Structures are given as C-alpha cells and as structure tokens.
Amino acid sequence: MNEADLIIVGGGPAGLTSAIYSARALIDTVVIEKMLPGGQPILTSFIENYPGFPEGISGPELAERLESQARRFGAKIITSQPVEEVLQVDKGFEIKTEEGSFFSKAVIIATGTSPRKLNVPGEETFTGRGVSYCAVCDGAFYKDKVVAVVGGGDSAIVEAIYLTRFASKVYVIHRRDQLRAEKILQERAFANSKITFIWNTVIQSIEGGKKVELLKLKNLKTEEVSDLPVDGLFVYIGSIPNSSMVRNLVELDENGFIITDNSMRTNIPGLFAAGDVRSNTFRQLATAVGDGAIAANSAEKYLGELIWKR
Ligand code: NAP
C-alpha cells in the first residue's frame, strides 16, 4: 500500500475526481487525505451552483457521493494522514507523512485551502468557544442566539443566510461598504430580516469569559470604537493555500498557490496540481472537478510515456 503509480494528495472534490478518472483508467491510485475525504463541501451547508442538482445538494452529501464513486473504481483512500513533504527521488516521488513514507511515479497535489485567520486578540483563545470557521459544523449550537459573521465574499453571505435558520440575529461585519459576493446572494441577504449589516468596520478584538461575549469593533470611516455583544463569531475572510508540502519543490505564486499550465502540470515533470491550491483559478466546485479530471488525464499520459521510455 505504500507504493502506487499515482498518489493524489488531498481528498476534496479535485482529488477525488482525479481518483475517479485514474482508477477508472486502471491506474493504481492512492489518495492521501489529512482528515476525512470530501474537502470543502463537508464544511459547506448547501451547494446550489453545481451542475446537475437543480434543487441544490448538501455539501456533506456531495462529499460522500464523490468518495464512494472513487472507491467504486478501486481508488484506495488513506485518511487522517497529513502529508508533510513531497520529495523528488529516483524514478518518482517520496511522499512523507508523520507515519512513514509513500512512493509513486506521479503525484497530483489537490490539497485546497484553509480558512484565513483574522489575527486579532481573542481569536485563538475563543476558537471552539464561540469563534468558528464552519457554520455547518457549529451553527446548530446557536439556536435563538446572536451571532456575527465577518467577511463580504460568497462564503460569508451563504453562511450568514444559513445561520439564520438557528440564530435569532446575524450581524455581517464587512470592512468595506460593498459586498464582494454574487448579486443573487446579496439580494437574498438584504431581504432577510434576521441579517443586519455593519459596514466599513473591522473587529479589533474578541472578548469574553469562558465563551465569546462581545466584539470590539472599529468603524474605519469614523474611527469610532464600539462594543457588539454576540454569542458567537463565524470567520469567512477568504483562504490560504495548503501548499507547504511542496514549497521547496515547485514554483509557487507570491501568495503560495501552485503555478500550473492548462494541463495541470507544474514545473516538475510528473507532479501535477488541481483545484483551489492552484494559482489564478476561479475557485469553484465545478472548476475543481474539471481540474481533477484534467490532472488525471495528464498523469495518465505521463505514466504512459514512462513505460515507453523504459
Ligand atoms: P473571498 O471571495 O476571497 O472573500 C473574502 C472576503 O473577506 C472579502 O469580502 C474580503 O474583503 C474579506 N476579508 C479578507 N481579509 C480580511 C480581513 N483580514 N479582515 C476582514 N475582512 C477580510 O473568499 P470566500 O468568500 O471564502 O470565497 C472564496 C472562493 O470560493 C471565491 O472564489 C468564491 O466565489 C467561492 N465561493 C463560491 C460560493 C458560491 O456559492 N458561488 C460559495 C462560497 C465560496 P474585501 O471584499 O474588502 O476584499
């Protein structure tokens, strides 16, 4: 099991799609996932722009379907094993994890992104005690409570709307006076009587006793500082790439995303990247899945050429 023709690092939509394509092409395929397979959809309440599901689909359900489809074609999925480093070795790659090394002829990095932190006092102390990065995991704890969401992108607005199922009031705190989120989401949020927007405002600190009790806010236009009592804070301010395992190996952009060509090839032959961890991509489920299929196809061609060269 610690050797395969193709190792896919990351079991989100991009990685699992690569696995579906490569395992179905009868390539010996192993997926190494740091937690549970499924990736970002596991943490997403509801997905309504993924083609083929006109009524939408819950993120966790889609994640489960992707996983079972990959397994059905024979992909092996190893869970709870964070990959620490990918090294180029004779005839391929060594994939180092805490529990040992794996070897493969080709690798696809599909490790996605992690939530960006606010980096304000109180954030670390209250993580898990009122500060959360996952509304679908923690939203139900806030029945009839007051919560805030920070951010102005699609994630912040989708999850603010989701949180209105439980909370009595949802504040959306955004540093500008215009949202980045899609218009259709904006309209829904503006029409929701449980959501109140706090514009041009940043969080200076998160305060409380055993749990979060209030946010210290600063209005960037007026410089006014105020207290906002809340029971919870959901942080949705974008994401950072999970590319540390290849930072000494492949070319990254200035923000740490992996640079590839249109065939998902990195600058290292045999090493491919797919999905959100890729530079300059439109970060959507549909594009991650597309990347995953292309990466698998490119890896298949690469492995075929290796046989000819022998
Ligand atoms: P995003 O689009 O990068 O938005 C991040 C938001 O957080 C922006 O509004 C940004 O403000 C704000 N922000 C960034 N750093 C901040 C800081 N330090 N303090 C306060 N605010 C900060 O991230 P995202 O919403 O997670 O979306 C990521 C990708 O997934 C996007 O491509 C998005 O379209 C996609 N997505 C799509 C859907 C969908 O249903 N279509 C759902 C979720 C995600 P500024 O606006 O001022 O920069």
Side-chain angles (χ1 to χ4, degrees):
M1 181 77 137
N2 68 347
E3 268 189 45
D5 285 340
L6 175 63
I7 287 185
I8 298 164
V9 184
L16 290 174
T17 303
S18 290
I20 291 166
Y21 273 74
S22 62
R24 194 166 173 274
L26 304 180
I27 293 169
D28 173 29
T29 302
V30 170
V31 178
I32 307 179
E33 160 57 40
K34 71 174 171 189
M35 293 187 292
L36 290 172
Q40 193 71 27
I42 297 182
L43 310 177
T44 306
S45 49
F46 197 63
I47 295 161
E48 61 177 15
N49 57 2
Y50 188 62
F53 295 91
E55 310 303 329
I57 181 166
S58 95
E61 188 187 340
L62 185 68
E64 216 179 290
R65 286 178 180 226
L66 285 167
E67 181 193 347
S68 63
Q69 201 171 354
R71 287 195 194 275
R72 184 186 147 210
F73 291 115
K76 298 167 200 94
I77 302 177
I78 295 167
T79 55
S80 310
Q81 270 208 56
V83 167
E84 290 173 342
E85 198 171 8
V86 177
L87 299 169
Q88 206 172 11
V89 293
D90 186 34
K91 294 194 177 129
F93 298 91
E94 176 178 358
I95 292 96
K96 284 184 156 180
T97 76
E98 232 173 52
E99 292 171 38
S101 283
F102 294 79
F103 296 89
S104 66
K105 294 177 187 138
V107 174
I108 297 174
I109 304 291
T111 40
T113 58
S114 295
R116 178 178 288 133
K117 301 273 166 79
L118 271 175
N119 287 325
V120 297
E123 183 176 25
E124 225 177 288
T125 316
F126 290 109
T127 294
R129 295 196 286 132
V131 173
S132 169
Y133 303 85
C134 178
V136 74
C137 318
D138 300 327
F141 297 128
Y142 295 90
K143 191 157 175 0
D144 300 324
K145 305 230 159 140
V146 176
V147 298
V149 173
V150 57
D154 287 333
S155 301
I157 303 309
V158 166
E159 302 307 335
I161 295 168
Y162 173 73
L163 285 165
T164 61
R165 290 189 199 184
F166 313 102
S168 57
K169 189 163 192 57
V170 178
Y171 291 102
V172 175
I173 302 165
H174 184 37
R175 62 185 178 183
R176 293 187 293 132
D177 62 359
Q178 272 186 351
L179 296 175
R180 183 180 290 278
E182 293 176 312
K183 283 278 177 291
I184 184 169
L185 296 174
Q186 297 195 19
E187 279 168 17
R188 274 183 217 162
F190 293 147
N192 191 316
S193 60
K194 282 190 176 180
I195 299 180
T196 299
F197 285 86
I198 303 179
W199 302 109
N200 301 308
T201 297
V202 292
I203 298 172
Q204 282 194 320
S205 62
I206 304 162
E207 298 180 10
K210 283 190 173 155
K211 290 184 169 182
V212 169
E213 287 167 14
L214 68 86
L215 306 176
K216 272 231 176 294
L217 304 182
K218 184 179 178 189
N219 184 304
L220 295 175
K221 287 248 158 98
T222 62
E223 305 263 302
E224 193 189 324
V225 174
S226 59
D227 288 348
L228 181 72
V230 294
D231 300 298
L233 172 67
F234 289 84
V235 181
Y236 282 105
I237 58 165
S239 45
I240 50 170
N242 297 324
S243 58
S244 60
M245 74 291 294
V246 289
R247 75 171 160 236
N248 297 322
L249 185 60
V250 299
E251 212 181 323
L252 305 176
D253 70 14
E254 67 280 10
N255 296 314
F257 291 91
I258 300 174
I259 296 173
T260 68
D261 65 10
N262 289 340
S263 301
M264 308 300 141
R265 290 184 294 220
T266 68
N267 60 317
I268 302 291
L271 187 69
F272 306 85
D276 284 4
V277 74
R278 229 162 50 81
S279 180
N280 284 331
T281 185
F282 179 42
R283 295 194 172 82
Q284 300 286 313
L285 185 53
T287 53
V289 161
D291 279 10
I294 296 170
N297 182 252
S298 297
E300 187 185 346
K301 284 185 191 152
Y302 174 81
L303 290 168
E305 281 162 17
L306 282 188
I307 293 167
W308 283 109
K309 279 183 195 157
R310 258 194 223 146

